[in-house]
Amino acid sequence: MVAAQLKEIPMTKAKSKRKPTSRANETKRNAVHLKPVTKQAAHQQPQSAQPTARRESKKAHIIAMLRTPGGATIEAMARAAKWQPHSVRGFLAGVVRKKLGFTLASADGENGRVYRITDRMASGAA
């Protein structure tokens, strides 16, 4: 009975070892490139004389939709803000109800559940 002989397979080794980097190279690599600081007072206005119009935010757009007498569905708000429906529901619960304290009314409509902000404040801080 001939015992099976094990054949040794040589493992290849790296031909060159990695050279350690010096501290000088490391600081160059990790250096933050900043623009030169110009001396401008904080109260000075920018160079352009015309004020730029601020774009209406997605949150403000959804709140405006909720303030309409007809209200808005979750699908309509999701399309308007380009959000997922679960994000709209989270916004309604977390921001509209809790943070802003609005009273949010919902009712079944023809196209689904319709949400709207009523005039009363939920926090009673009026």
Side-chain angles (χ1 to χ4, degrees), residues 20-36:
T21 59
S22 67
R23 284 280 183 194
N25 290 341
E26 187 174 316
T27 56
K28 286 180 187 176
R29 193 176 306 138
N30 295 334
V32 177
H33 301 287
L34 299 174
K35 292 181 181 179

